[in-house]
Amino acid sequence: MQEYEHPITKEVREQARKVGGHGGMDFIMDYRLIYCLRNGLPLDMNVYDAVEWSCLGELTEISVQNNSAPVAIPDFTRGAWNKLKGYSHAFAN
């Protein structure tokens, strides 16, 4: 596992463990967001990701009210997700 550990994890591991929150992952995600903003890098998540994650509570409630029936997650991009020309990830140096 050490061979494949991400550089950000290596850099902030101990501080993340002290702060806590999902085993330190909350700290690492916040650290990554701030790093990208400070360095003008693209964020790892966009508004469409955020709205998809945020709708799950409401959709779960609808499912439970209907005897756990499946509920489709709306396509908030109106099909644009399928037009991406690849994915690039900004790496910390």
Side-chain angles (χ1 to χ4, degrees):
M1 283 183 54
Q2 288 178 345
E3 180 182 350
Y4 299 104
E5 186 174 16
H6 194 279
I8 291 175
T9 307
K10 289 178 185 177
E11 182 179 336
V12 299
R13 177 188 310 117
E14 291 308 314
Q15 191 175 6
R17 285 183 181 158
K18 288 178 188 173
V19 174
H22 296 105
M25 189 50 67
D26 288 353
F27 178 88
I28 291 172
M29 295 299 292
D30 290 344
Y31 177 89
R32 173 71 183 161
L33 173 66
I34 293 166
Y35 179 90
C36 288
L37 292 171
R38 284 184 175 166
N39 292 285
L41 299 171
L43 303 179
D44 300 324
M45 180 175 155
N46 62 30
V47 68
Y48 298 107
D49 296 324
V51 74
E52 282 182 348
W53 292 8
S54 298
C55 78
L56 296 178
E58 180 71 22
L59 296 178
T60 299
E61 183 177 346
I62 292 169
S63 173
V64 170
Q65 290 173 349
N66 291 285
N67 296 319
S68 299
V71 178
I73 297 175
D75 179 5
F76 296 104
T77 69
R78 291 181 234 145
W81 67 271
N82 204 20
K83 297 175 185 170
L84 291 175
K85 303 277 190 237
Y87 172 78
S88 63
H89 182 80
F91 289 99
N93 293 330

